[in-house]
Amino acid sequence: QSALTQPASVSGSPGQSITISCTGTSSDVGGYNYVSWYQQHPGKAPKLMIFVVSGRPSGVSNRFSGSKSGNTASLTISGLQAEDEADYYCTSYTSSNTYVFGSGTKVTVL
Amino acid sequence: EVQLVESGGGLVEAGRSLRLSCSTSGFTFGDYAMSWFRQAPGKGLEWVGFFRSKTFGGTSEYAASVRGRFTISRDDSKSIAYLQMNSLKTEDTAVYYCTRGPIEGARFFDCWGQGTLVTVSS
């Protein structure tokens, strides 16, 4: 199972919106709505930010939103803040009853 | 408060075995599947495998990279999940995280431990 494709880095200024893409295949992202996103600060454990494409856990800012079209899922961060600077990973359930991760995107707040 | 604490990591020679533990609290352990992930130094996250709750069959699934070498188990009476790693390779060097999930019907992982480092030397 190949890793999902994410851009290596995305940057934006405070207050701006950025979008991270996550491209897979019809056997994972395109075949199921089981896409979730995780934020990871350096040296820290990952944190769930989005589940089932667009669900947001309690406690996660509504500046984070998710969507999906075809084989590509997206995470949008609006009103970018310094604390959003981190690595972001998408993951999807697959037709093999396994889970595949994206390669990770480093978000930089300029 | 949900807590997951991994232990058992360390330095081990290639070909040897190691068992990691994930001690949990703050939720009804037996109601949830439990998973293990890993992250090699400077690399991205990789799913290792999971063990379903008894309600959903008590079976396990593994990534191709560890299938046949790694085994996940659980002790519901102690609220602990385990990762038995055999025939270790240098490429198994990583921080290993345990998580709650995948959440049945939604397939995400909502709570993570802080991780334990496993270093496999040649």
Side-chain angles (χ1 to χ4, degrees), chain A residues 34 36 38 40 44-46 48 51-52 89 91 93 97-99 101 103, chain B residues 37 39 43-45 47 52 61 97 102 105-110 112-113:
Chain A
Y34 300 130
S36 50
Y38 301 84
Q40 187 180 34
K44 300 295 187 181
L48 175 68
F51 63 93
V52 192
Y89 296 90
T91 189
Y93 175 75
N97 202 15
T98 60
Y99 292 83
F101 269 92
S103 43
Chain B
F37 291 79
Q39 187 169 35
K43 302 297 184 182
L45 294 166
W47 171 76
R52 296 179 179 87
E61 304 289 346
Y97 296 98
R107 307 189 192 276
F108 61 89
F109 309 89
D110 63 346
W112 294 63

PDB file of all heavy atoms in Angstrom, chain A residues 34 36 38 40 44-46 48 51-52 89 91 93 97-99 101 103, chain B residues 37 39 43-45 47 52 61 97 102 105-110 112-113:
ATOM      1  N   TYR A  34     -13.480   7.397   5.524  1.00  0.00           N
ATOM      2  CA  TYR A  34     -12.706   7.216   6.755  1.00  0.00           C
ATOM      3  C   TYR A  34     -11.343   7.897   6.632  1.00  0.00           C
ATOM      4  O   TYR A  34     -10.291   7.258   6.742  1.00  0.00           O
ATOM      5  CB  TYR A  34     -12.544   5.742   7.063  1.00  0.00           C
ATOM      6  CG  TYR A  34     -13.849   5.011   7.272  1.00  0.00           C
ATOM      7  CD1 TYR A  34     -14.122   3.819   6.609  1.00  0.00           C
ATOM      8  CD2 TYR A  34     -14.815   5.536   8.126  1.00  0.00           C
ATOM      9  CE1 TYR A  34     -15.331   3.151   6.808  1.00  0.00           C
ATOM     10  CE2 TYR A  34     -16.014   4.878   8.327  1.00  0.00           C
ATOM     11  CZ  TYR A  34     -16.273   3.683   7.669  1.00  0.00           C
ATOM     12  OH  TYR A  34     -17.453   3.036   7.872  1.00  0.00           O
ATOM     13  N   SER A  36      -8.912  10.785   8.239  1.00  0.00           N
ATOM     14  CA  SER A  36      -8.693  11.600   9.433  1.00  0.00           C
ATOM     15  C   SER A  36      -7.371  12.342   9.297  1.00  0.00           C
ATOM     16  O   SER A  36      -6.516  11.980   8.487  1.00  0.00           O
ATOM     17  CB  SER A  36      -8.725  10.749  10.706  1.00  0.00           C
ATOM     18  OG  SER A  36      -7.877   9.615  10.593  1.00  0.00           O
ATOM     19  N   TYR A  38      -4.165  14.453  11.510  1.00  0.00           N
ATOM     20  CA  TYR A  38      -3.463  14.546  12.784  1.00  0.00           C
ATOM     21  C   TYR A  38      -2.418  15.656  12.723  1.00  0.00           C
ATOM     22  O   TYR A  38      -1.735  15.820  11.714  1.00  0.00           O
ATOM     23  CB  TYR A  38      -2.790  13.211  13.129  1.00  0.00           C
ATOM     24  CG  TYR A  38      -3.806  12.089  13.214  1.00  0.00           C
ATOM     25  CD1 TYR A  38      -4.218  11.421  12.067  1.00  0.00           C
ATOM     26  CD2 TYR A  38      -4.405  11.763  14.426  1.00  0.00           C
ATOM     27  CE1 TYR A  38      -5.203  10.439  12.123  1.00  0.00           C
ATOM     28  CE2 TYR A  38      -5.387  10.780  14.494  1.00  0.00           C
ATOM     29  CZ  TYR A  38      -5.776  10.130  13.335  1.00  0.00           C
ATOM     30  OH  TYR A  38      -6.750   9.162  13.390  1.00  0.00           O
ATOM     31  N   GLN A  40       0.999  17.224  14.549  1.00  0.00           N
ATOM     32  CA  GLN A  40       2.107  16.807  15.397  1.00  0.00           C
ATOM     33  C   GLN A  40       3.124  17.930  15.543  1.00  0.00           C
ATOM     34  O   GLN A  40       3.753  18.340  14.574  1.00  0.00           O
ATOM     35  CB  GLN A  40       2.784  15.547  14.852  1.00  0.00           C
ATOM     36  CG  GLN A  40       3.835  14.988  15.799  1.00  0.00           C
ATOM     37  CD  GLN A  40       4.508  13.731  15.271  1.00  0.00           C
ATOM     38  OE1 GLN A  40       4.720  13.575  14.070  1.00  0.00           O
ATOM     39  NE2 GLN A  40       4.846  12.810  16.177  1.00  0.00           N
ATOM     40  N   LYS A  44       6.384  15.781  20.043  1.00  0.00           N
ATOM     41  CA  LYS A  44       5.111  15.488  20.707  1.00  0.00           C
ATOM     42  C   LYS A  44       4.361  14.379  19.990  1.00  0.00           C
ATOM     43  O   LYS A  44       4.666  14.030  18.853  1.00  0.00           O
ATOM     44  CB  LYS A  44       4.235  16.740  20.751  1.00  0.00           C
ATOM     45  CG  LYS A  44       4.863  17.907  21.497  1.00  0.00           C
ATOM     46  CD  LYS A  44       5.054  17.601  22.964  1.00  0.00           C
ATOM     47  CE  LYS A  44       5.529  18.817  23.733  1.00  0.00           C
ATOM     48  NZ  LYS A  44       5.742  18.511  25.179  1.00  0.00           N
ATOM     49  N   ALA A  45       3.371  13.813  20.683  1.00  0.00           N
ATOM     50  CA  ALA A  45       2.520  12.800  20.072  1.00  0.00           C
ATOM     51  C   ALA A  45       1.538  13.466  19.112  1.00  0.00           C
ATOM     52  O   ALA A  45       1.169  14.633  19.295  1.00  0.00           O
ATOM     53  CB  ALA A  45       1.758  12.040  21.152  1.00  0.00           C
ATOM     54  N   PRO A  46       1.094  12.749  18.109  1.00  0.00           N
ATOM     55  CA  PRO A  46       0.076  13.285  17.200  1.00  0.00           C
ATOM     56  C   PRO A  46      -1.223  13.570  17.946  1.00  0.00           C
ATOM     57  O   PRO A  46      -1.518  12.950  18.974  1.00  0.00           O
ATOM     58  CB  PRO A  46      -0.108  12.166  16.169  1.00  0.00           C
ATOM     59  CG  PRO A  46       1.163  11.390  16.224  1.00  0.00           C
ATOM     60  CD  PRO A  46       1.576  11.434  17.656  1.00  0.00           C
ATOM     61  N   LEU A  48      -5.452  14.172  17.134  1.00  0.00           N
ATOM     62  CA  LEU A  48      -6.545  14.091  16.161  1.00  0.00           C
ATOM     63  C   LEU A  48      -7.170  15.462  15.946  1.00  0.00           C
ATOM     64  O   LEU A  48      -7.564  16.122  16.902  1.00  0.00           O
ATOM     65  CB  LEU A  48      -7.607  13.115  16.670  1.00  0.00           C
ATOM     66  CG  LEU A  48      -8.880  12.990  15.828  1.00  0.00           C
ATOM     67  CD1 LEU A  48      -8.580  12.334  14.480  1.00  0.00           C
ATOM     68  CD2 LEU A  48      -9.939  12.196  16.593  1.00  0.00           C
ATOM     69  N   PHE A  51     -11.899  13.890  11.801  1.00  0.00           N
ATOM     70  CA  PHE A  51     -12.224  12.482  11.571  1.00  0.00           C
ATOM     71  C   PHE A  51     -13.398  12.376  10.591  1.00  0.00           C
ATOM     72  O   PHE A  51     -14.174  13.312  10.429  1.00  0.00           O
ATOM     73  CB  PHE A  51     -12.533  11.768  12.892  1.00  0.00           C
ATOM     74  CG  PHE A  51     -13.739  12.308  13.624  1.00  0.00           C
ATOM     75  CD1 PHE A  51     -14.987  11.749  13.433  1.00  0.00           C
ATOM     76  CD2 PHE A  51     -13.619  13.369  14.519  1.00  0.00           C
ATOM     77  CE1 PHE A  51     -16.089  12.232  14.100  1.00  0.00           C
ATOM     78  CE2 PHE A  51     -14.716  13.858  15.194  1.00  0.00           C
ATOM     79  CZ  PHE A  51     -15.970  13.296  14.981  1.00  0.00           C
ATOM     80  N   VAL A  52     -13.486  11.216   9.952  1.00  0.00           N
ATOM     81  CA  VAL A  52     -14.545  10.954   8.970  1.00  0.00           C
ATOM     82  C   VAL A  52     -14.693  12.148   8.020  1.00  0.00           C
ATOM     83  O   VAL A  52     -15.779  12.730   7.880  1.00  0.00           O
ATOM     84  CB  VAL A  52     -15.894  10.636   9.675  1.00  0.00           C
ATOM     85  CG1 VAL A  52     -16.894  10.078   8.657  1.00  0.00           C
ATOM     86  CG2 VAL A  52     -15.703   9.635  10.787  1.00  0.00           C
ATOM     87  N   TYR A  89      -0.612  15.166   9.171  1.00  0.00           N
ATOM     88  CA  TYR A  89      -0.694  13.894   8.472  1.00  0.00           C
ATOM     89  C   TYR A  89      -2.145  13.510   8.226  1.00  0.00           C
ATOM     90  O   TYR A  89      -2.976  13.617   9.125  1.00  0.00           O
ATOM     91  CB  TYR A  89      -0.042  12.772   9.294  1.00  0.00           C
ATOM     92  CG  TYR A  89       1.432  12.928   9.522  1.00  0.00           C
ATOM     93  CD1 TYR A  89       1.910  13.608  10.636  1.00  0.00           C
ATOM     94  CD2 TYR A  89       2.346  12.388   8.628  1.00  0.00           C
ATOM     95  CE1 TYR A  89       3.269  13.750  10.861  1.00  0.00           C
ATOM     96  CE2 TYR A  89       3.713  12.520   8.839  1.00  0.00           C
ATOM     97  CZ  TYR A  89       4.167  13.204   9.952  1.00  0.00           C
ATOM     98  OH  TYR A  89       5.511  13.340  10.165  1.00  0.00           O
ATOM     99  N   THR A  91      -4.687  10.273   7.085  1.00  0.00           N
ATOM    100  CA  THR A  91      -4.692   8.826   7.047  1.00  0.00           C
ATOM    101  C   THR A  91      -6.047   8.343   6.544  1.00  0.00           C
ATOM    102  O   THR A  91      -7.046   9.046   6.695  1.00  0.00           O
ATOM    103  CB  THR A  91      -4.366   8.195   8.415  1.00  0.00           C
ATOM    104  OG1 THR A  91      -4.191   6.779   8.256  1.00  0.00           O
ATOM    105  CG2 THR A  91      -5.480   8.433   9.414  1.00  0.00           C
ATOM    106  N   TYR A  93      -8.532   4.668   5.890  1.00  0.00           N
ATOM    107  CA  TYR A  93      -8.802   3.235   5.896  1.00  0.00           C
ATOM    108  C   TYR A  93      -8.685   2.753   4.444  1.00  0.00           C
ATOM    109  O   TYR A  93      -8.951   3.513   3.502  1.00  0.00           O
ATOM    110  CB  TYR A  93     -10.207   2.989   6.430  1.00  0.00           C
ATOM    111  CG  TYR A  93     -10.677   1.556   6.376  1.00  0.00           C
ATOM    112  CD1 TYR A  93     -10.198   0.615   7.273  1.00  0.00           C
ATOM    113  CD2 TYR A  93     -11.609   1.150   5.424  1.00  0.00           C
ATOM    114  CE1 TYR A  93     -10.638  -0.693   7.238  1.00  0.00           C
ATOM    115  CE2 TYR A  93     -12.054  -0.165   5.380  1.00  0.00           C
ATOM    116  CZ  TYR A  93     -11.566  -1.080   6.295  1.00  0.00           C
ATOM    117  OH  TYR A  93     -12.001  -2.377   6.241  1.00  0.00           O
ATOM    118  N   ASN A  97      -8.353  -3.514   4.633  1.00  0.00           N
ATOM    119  CA  ASN A  97      -8.609  -3.482   6.075  1.00  0.00           C
ATOM    120  C   ASN A  97      -7.370  -3.036   6.835  1.00  0.00           C
ATOM    121  O   ASN A  97      -7.088  -3.507   7.947  1.00  0.00           O
ATOM    122  CB  ASN A  97      -9.086  -4.844   6.581  1.00  0.00           C
ATOM    123  CG  ASN A  97      -9.844  -4.752   7.895  1.00  0.00           C
ATOM    124  OD1 ASN A  97     -10.260  -3.677   8.314  1.00  0.00           O
ATOM    125  ND2 ASN A  97     -10.009  -5.890   8.555  1.00  0.00           N
ATOM    126  N   THR A  98      -6.608  -2.158   6.226  1.00  0.00           N
ATOM    127  CA  THR A  98      -5.426  -1.573   6.852  1.00  0.00           C
ATOM    128  C   THR A  98      -5.571  -0.047   6.819  1.00  0.00           C
ATOM    129  O   THR A  98      -6.602   0.467   6.378  1.00  0.00           O
ATOM    130  CB  THR A  98      -4.140  -1.991   6.115  1.00  0.00           C
ATOM    131  OG1 THR A  98      -4.207  -1.532   4.756  1.00  0.00           O
ATOM    132  CG2 THR A  98      -3.960  -3.507   6.121  1.00  0.00           C
ATOM    133  N   TYR A  99      -4.559   0.635   7.294  1.00  0.00           N
ATOM    134  CA  TYR A  99      -4.573   2.096   7.305  1.00  0.00           C
ATOM    135  C   TYR A  99      -3.293   2.600   6.645  1.00  0.00           C
ATOM    136  O   TYR A  99      -2.206   2.063   6.886  1.00  0.00           O
ATOM    137  CB  TYR A  99      -4.685   2.625   8.741  1.00  0.00           C
ATOM    138  CG  TYR A  99      -6.032   2.315   9.340  1.00  0.00           C
ATOM    139  CD1 TYR A  99      -6.287   1.066   9.904  1.00  0.00           C
ATOM    140  CD2 TYR A  99      -7.069   3.239   9.286  1.00  0.00           C
ATOM    141  CE1 TYR A  99      -7.546   0.757  10.405  1.00  0.00           C
ATOM    142  CE2 TYR A  99      -8.322   2.938   9.785  1.00  0.00           C
ATOM    143  CZ  TYR A  99      -8.557   1.692  10.341  1.00  0.00           C
ATOM    144  OH  TYR A  99      -9.801   1.386  10.826  1.00  0.00           O
ATOM    145  N   PHE A 101      -0.973   6.158   5.726  1.00  0.00           N
ATOM    146  CA  PHE A 101      -0.750   7.541   6.090  1.00  0.00           C
ATOM    147  C   PHE A 101      -0.245   8.351   4.908  1.00  0.00           C
ATOM    148  O   PHE A 101       0.335   7.805   3.956  1.00  0.00           O
ATOM    149  CB  PHE A 101       0.312   7.639   7.192  1.00  0.00           C
ATOM    150  CG  PHE A 101      -0.269   7.613   8.578  1.00  0.00           C
ATOM    151  CD1 PHE A 101      -0.401   6.420   9.253  1.00  0.00           C
ATOM    152  CD2 PHE A 101      -0.676   8.788   9.199  1.00  0.00           C
ATOM    153  CE1 PHE A 101      -0.940   6.386  10.538  1.00  0.00           C
ATOM    154  CE2 PHE A 101      -1.204   8.762  10.478  1.00  0.00           C
ATOM    155  CZ  PHE A 101      -1.348   7.558  11.143  1.00  0.00           C
ATOM    156  N   SER A 103       2.360  11.358   3.581  1.00  0.00           N
ATOM    157  CA  SER A 103       3.792  11.576   3.791  1.00  0.00           C
ATOM    158  C   SER A 103       4.069  12.722   4.761  1.00  0.00           C
ATOM    159  O   SER A 103       5.197  12.902   5.211  1.00  0.00           O
ATOM    160  CB  SER A 103       4.475  11.853   2.449  1.00  0.00           C
ATOM    161  OG  SER A 103       3.690  12.737   1.659  1.00  0.00           O
TER     162      SER A 103
ATOM    163  N   PHE B  37       1.295   2.458  16.385  1.00  0.00           N
ATOM    164  CA  PHE B  37       1.876   3.187  15.268  1.00  0.00           C
ATOM    165  C   PHE B  37       3.368   3.350  15.557  1.00  0.00           C
ATOM    166  O   PHE B  37       3.820   3.152  16.686  1.00  0.00           O
ATOM    167  CB  PHE B  37       1.248   4.582  15.139  1.00  0.00           C
ATOM    168  CG  PHE B  37      -0.179   4.575  14.711  1.00  0.00           C
ATOM    169  CD1 PHE B  37      -1.184   4.290  15.616  1.00  0.00           C
ATOM    170  CD2 PHE B  37      -0.524   4.849  13.402  1.00  0.00           C
ATOM    171  CE1 PHE B  37      -2.519   4.277  15.224  1.00  0.00           C
ATOM    172  CE2 PHE B  37      -1.849   4.842  13.000  1.00  0.00           C
ATOM    173  CZ  PHE B  37      -2.844   4.552  13.914  1.00  0.00           C
ATOM    174  N   GLN B  39       7.078   5.800  14.263  1.00  0.00           N
ATOM    175  CA  GLN B  39       7.633   6.923  13.510  1.00  0.00           C
ATOM    176  C   GLN B  39       9.143   6.835  13.578  1.00  0.00           C
ATOM    177  O   GLN B  39       9.740   7.043  14.640  1.00  0.00           O
ATOM    178  CB  GLN B  39       7.137   8.253  14.090  1.00  0.00           C
ATOM    179  CG  GLN B  39       7.523   9.469  13.289  1.00  0.00           C
ATOM    180  CD  GLN B  39       6.790  10.710  13.766  1.00  0.00           C
ATOM    181  OE1 GLN B  39       6.513  10.882  14.964  1.00  0.00           O
ATOM    182  NE2 GLN B  39       6.454  11.589  12.836  1.00  0.00           N
ATOM    183  N   LYS B  43      11.074  10.820  10.157  1.00  0.00           N
ATOM    184  CA  LYS B  43      10.158  10.332   9.130  1.00  0.00           C
ATOM    185  C   LYS B  43       8.699  10.514   9.548  1.00  0.00           C
ATOM    186  O   LYS B  43       8.401  11.041  10.610  1.00  0.00           O
ATOM    187  CB  LYS B  43      10.434   8.843   8.858  1.00  0.00           C
ATOM    188  CG  LYS B  43      11.850   8.548   8.410  1.00  0.00           C
ATOM    189  CD  LYS B  43      12.194   9.196   7.089  1.00  0.00           C
ATOM    190  CE  LYS B  43      13.581   8.813   6.620  1.00  0.00           C
ATOM    191  NZ  LYS B  43      13.943   9.482   5.331  1.00  0.00           N
ATOM    192  N   GLY B  44       7.799  10.069   8.674  1.00  0.00           N
ATOM    193  CA  GLY B  44       6.377  10.187   8.939  1.00  0.00           C
ATOM    194  C   GLY B  44       5.825   9.039   9.763  1.00  0.00           C
ATOM    195  O   GLY B  44       6.542   8.120  10.165  1.00  0.00           O
ATOM    196  N   LEU B  45       4.532   9.112  10.011  1.00  0.00           N
ATOM    197  CA  LEU B  45       3.857   8.105  10.814  1.00  0.00           C
ATOM    198  C   LEU B  45       3.554   6.860   9.988  1.00  0.00           C
ATOM    199  O   LEU B  45       3.277   6.942   8.791  1.00  0.00           O
ATOM    200  CB  LEU B  45       2.550   8.680  11.364  1.00  0.00           C
ATOM    201  CG  LEU B  45       2.698   9.816  12.370  1.00  0.00           C
ATOM    202  CD1 LEU B  45       1.356  10.518  12.570  1.00  0.00           C
ATOM    203  CD2 LEU B  45       3.224   9.286  13.686  1.00  0.00           C
ATOM    204  N   TRP B  47       1.255   3.174  10.387  1.00  0.00           N
ATOM    205  CA  TRP B  47       0.375   2.292  11.151  1.00  0.00           C
ATOM    206  C   TRP B  47       1.015   0.915  11.240  1.00  0.00           C
ATOM    207  O   TRP B  47       1.506   0.395  10.230  1.00  0.00           O
ATOM    208  CB  TRP B  47      -0.983   2.217  10.460  1.00  0.00           C
ATOM    209  CG  TRP B  47      -1.913   1.191  11.023  1.00  0.00           C
ATOM    210  CD1 TRP B  47      -2.624   1.276  12.178  1.00  0.00           C
ATOM    211  CD2 TRP B  47      -2.256  -0.062  10.441  1.00  0.00           C
ATOM    212  NE1 TRP B  47      -3.376   0.144  12.342  1.00  0.00           N
ATOM    213  CE2 TRP B  47      -3.175  -0.693  11.293  1.00  0.00           C
ATOM    214  CE3 TRP B  47      -1.873  -0.733   9.272  1.00  0.00           C
ATOM    215  CZ2 TRP B  47      -3.719  -1.950  11.032  1.00  0.00           C
ATOM    216  CZ3 TRP B  47      -2.410  -1.974   8.998  1.00  0.00           C
ATOM    217  CH2 TRP B  47      -3.320  -2.573   9.870  1.00  0.00           C
ATOM    218  N   ARG B  52      -8.845  -5.742  17.789  1.00  0.00           N
ATOM    219  CA  ARG B  52     -10.231  -5.372  18.043  1.00  0.00           C
ATOM    220  C   ARG B  52     -10.660  -5.737  19.466  1.00  0.00           C
ATOM    221  O   ARG B  52     -10.102  -6.639  20.079  1.00  0.00           O
ATOM    222  CB  ARG B  52     -11.157  -6.072  17.050  1.00  0.00           C
ATOM    223  CG  ARG B  52     -10.944  -5.664  15.593  1.00  0.00           C
ATOM    224  CD  ARG B  52     -11.887  -6.431  14.677  1.00  0.00           C
ATOM    225  NE  ARG B  52     -11.715  -6.048  13.284  1.00  0.00           N
ATOM    226  CZ  ARG B  52     -10.828  -6.592  12.462  1.00  0.00           C
ATOM    227  NH1 ARG B  52     -10.040  -7.567  12.898  1.00  0.00           N
ATOM    228  NH2 ARG B  52     -10.739  -6.182  11.207  1.00  0.00           N
ATOM    229  N   GLU B  61      -5.161  -7.037  12.991  1.00  0.00           N
ATOM    230  CA  GLU B  61      -4.717  -6.746  11.619  1.00  0.00           C
ATOM    231  C   GLU B  61      -3.348  -6.080  11.714  1.00  0.00           C
ATOM    232  O   GLU B  61      -3.080  -5.340  12.669  1.00  0.00           O
ATOM    233  CB  GLU B  61      -5.693  -5.807  10.915  1.00  0.00           C
ATOM    234  CG  GLU B  61      -7.122  -6.275  10.870  1.00  0.00           C
ATOM    235  CD  GLU B  61      -7.372  -7.446   9.941  1.00  0.00           C
ATOM    236  OE1 GLU B  61      -6.495  -7.755   9.119  1.00  0.00           O
ATOM    237  OE2 GLU B  61      -8.464  -8.065  10.052  1.00  0.00           O
ATOM    238  N   TYR B  97       4.028   4.416  19.198  1.00  0.00           N
ATOM    239  CA  TYR B  97       2.891   5.013  19.893  1.00  0.00           C
ATOM    240  C   TYR B  97       1.749   4.001  19.979  1.00  0.00           C
ATOM    241  O   TYR B  97       1.466   3.298  19.006  1.00  0.00           O
ATOM    242  CB  TYR B  97       2.348   6.224  19.132  1.00  0.00           C
ATOM    243  CG  TYR B  97       3.280   7.398  19.009  1.00  0.00           C
ATOM    244  CD1 TYR B  97       4.032   7.601  17.855  1.00  0.00           C
ATOM    245  CD2 TYR B  97       3.385   8.353  20.029  1.00  0.00           C
ATOM    246  CE1 TYR B  97       4.864   8.694  17.718  1.00  0.00           C
ATOM    247  CE2 TYR B  97       4.224   9.449  19.904  1.00  0.00           C
ATOM    248  CZ  TYR B  97       4.954   9.606  18.746  1.00  0.00           C
ATOM    249  OH  TYR B  97       5.784  10.698  18.616  1.00  0.00           O
ATOM    250  N   PRO B 102      -8.836   1.681  16.044  1.00  0.00           N
ATOM    251  CA  PRO B 102      -9.796   2.549  15.364  1.00  0.00           C
ATOM    252  C   PRO B 102     -11.183   2.485  16.005  1.00  0.00           C
ATOM    253  O   PRO B 102     -11.640   1.415  16.408  1.00  0.00           O
ATOM    254  CB  PRO B 102      -9.828   2.020  13.940  1.00  0.00           C
ATOM    255  CG  PRO B 102      -9.443   0.579  14.070  1.00  0.00           C
ATOM    256  CD  PRO B 102      -8.447   0.525  15.188  1.00  0.00           C
ATOM    257  N   GLY B 105     -16.849   1.879  13.325  1.00  0.00           N
ATOM    258  CA  GLY B 105     -17.818   2.621  12.530  1.00  0.00           C
ATOM    259  C   GLY B 105     -17.319   3.965  12.029  1.00  0.00           C
ATOM    260  O   GLY B 105     -17.968   4.593  11.202  1.00  0.00           O
ATOM    261  N   ALA B 106     -16.173   4.420  12.523  1.00  0.00           N
ATOM    262  CA  ALA B 106     -15.649   5.719  12.115  1.00  0.00           C
ATOM    263  C   ALA B 106     -14.161   5.657  11.786  1.00  0.00           C
ATOM    264  O   ALA B 106     -13.651   6.521  11.096  1.00  0.00           O
ATOM    265  CB  ALA B 106     -15.887   6.759  13.204  1.00  0.00           C
ATOM    266  N   ARG B 107     -13.485   4.651  12.325  1.00  0.00           N
ATOM    267  CA  ARG B 107     -12.128   4.316  11.901  1.00  0.00           C
ATOM    268  C   ARG B 107     -11.118   5.448  12.058  1.00  0.00           C
ATOM    269  O   ARG B 107     -10.394   5.782  11.114  1.00  0.00           O
ATOM    270  CB  ARG B 107     -12.124   3.760  10.484  1.00  0.00           C
ATOM    271  CG  ARG B 107     -13.101   2.596  10.301  1.00  0.00           C
ATOM    272  CD  ARG B 107     -12.922   1.916   8.967  1.00  0.00           C
ATOM    273  NE  ARG B 107     -14.007   0.986   8.649  1.00  0.00           N
ATOM    274  CZ  ARG B 107     -14.094  -0.258   9.052  1.00  0.00           C
ATOM    275  NH1 ARG B 107     -13.151  -0.760   9.838  1.00  0.00           N
ATOM    276  NH2 ARG B 107     -15.103  -1.024   8.692  1.00  0.00           N
ATOM    277  N   PHE B 108     -11.074   6.035  13.237  1.00  0.00           N
ATOM    278  CA  PHE B 108     -10.035   7.012  13.534  1.00  0.00           C
ATOM    279  C   PHE B 108      -9.443   6.694  14.905  1.00  0.00           C
ATOM    280  O   PHE B 108      -9.930   5.816  15.617  1.00  0.00           O
ATOM    281  CB  PHE B 108     -10.571   8.447  13.473  1.00  0.00           C
ATOM    282  CG  PHE B 108     -11.677   8.737  14.460  1.00  0.00           C
ATOM    283  CD1 PHE B 108     -11.391   9.201  15.736  1.00  0.00           C
ATOM    284  CD2 PHE B 108     -13.005   8.559  14.099  1.00  0.00           C
ATOM    285  CE1 PHE B 108     -12.399   9.463  16.638  1.00  0.00           C
ATOM    286  CE2 PHE B 108     -14.019   8.815  14.997  1.00  0.00           C
ATOM    287  CZ  PHE B 108     -13.720   9.272  16.269  1.00  0.00           C
ATOM    288  N   PHE B 109      -8.394   7.408  15.234  1.00  0.00           N
ATOM    289  CA  PHE B 109      -7.629   7.115  16.436  1.00  0.00           C
ATOM    290  C   PHE B 109      -7.631   8.380  17.287  1.00  0.00           C
ATOM    291  O   PHE B 109      -7.004   9.377  16.909  1.00  0.00           O
ATOM    292  CB  PHE B 109      -6.216   6.692  16.058  1.00  0.00           C
ATOM    293  CG  PHE B 109      -6.212   5.606  15.010  1.00  0.00           C
ATOM    294  CD1 PHE B 109      -6.210   5.924  13.660  1.00  0.00           C
ATOM    295  CD2 PHE B 109      -6.244   4.273  15.379  1.00  0.00           C
ATOM    296  CE1 PHE B 109      -6.245   4.929  12.693  1.00  0.00           C
ATOM    297  CE2 PHE B 109      -6.269   3.269  14.418  1.00  0.00           C
ATOM    298  CZ  PHE B 109      -6.272   3.601  13.076  1.00  0.00           C
ATOM    299  N   ASP B 110      -8.340   8.358  18.413  1.00  0.00           N
ATOM    300  CA  ASP B 110      -8.613   9.619  19.089  1.00  0.00           C
ATOM    301  C   ASP B 110      -7.690   9.963  20.248  1.00  0.00           C
ATOM    302  O   ASP B 110      -7.621  11.123  20.638  1.00  0.00           O
ATOM    303  CB  ASP B 110     -10.079   9.691  19.535  1.00  0.00           C
ATOM    304  CG  ASP B 110     -10.439   8.617  20.555  1.00  0.00           C
ATOM    305  OD1 ASP B 110      -9.662   7.647  20.733  1.00  0.00           O
ATOM    306  OD2 ASP B 110     -11.515   8.747  21.180  1.00  0.00           O
ATOM    307  N   TRP B 112      -3.718   9.273  21.984  1.00  0.00           N
ATOM    308  CA  TRP B 112      -2.390   8.742  21.731  1.00  0.00           C
ATOM    309  C   TRP B 112      -1.546   8.809  23.002  1.00  0.00           C
ATOM    310  O   TRP B 112      -1.660   9.749  23.795  1.00  0.00           O
ATOM    311  CB  TRP B 112      -1.707   9.576  20.645  1.00  0.00           C
ATOM    312  CG  TRP B 112      -2.337   9.483  19.293  1.00  0.00           C
ATOM    313  CD1 TRP B 112      -3.593   9.880  18.950  1.00  0.00           C
ATOM    314  CD2 TRP B 112      -1.747   8.983  18.105  1.00  0.00           C
ATOM    315  NE1 TRP B 112      -3.819   9.650  17.623  1.00  0.00           N
ATOM    316  CE2 TRP B 112      -2.689   9.099  17.069  1.00  0.00           C
ATOM    317  CE3 TRP B 112      -0.485   8.444  17.796  1.00  0.00           C
ATOM    318  CZ2 TRP B 112      -2.433   8.693  15.761  1.00  0.00           C
ATOM    319  CZ3 TRP B 112      -0.221   8.042  16.502  1.00  0.00           C
ATOM    320  CH2 TRP B 112      -1.194   8.173  15.488  1.00  0.00           C
ATOM    321  N   GLY B 113      -0.659   7.833  23.151  1.00  0.00           N
ATOM    322  CA  GLY B 113       0.335   7.901  24.204  1.00  0.00           C
ATOM    323  C   GLY B 113       1.471   8.810  23.787  1.00  0.00           C
ATOM    324  O   GLY B 113       1.483   9.348  22.682  1.00  0.00           O
TER     325      GLY B 113
END
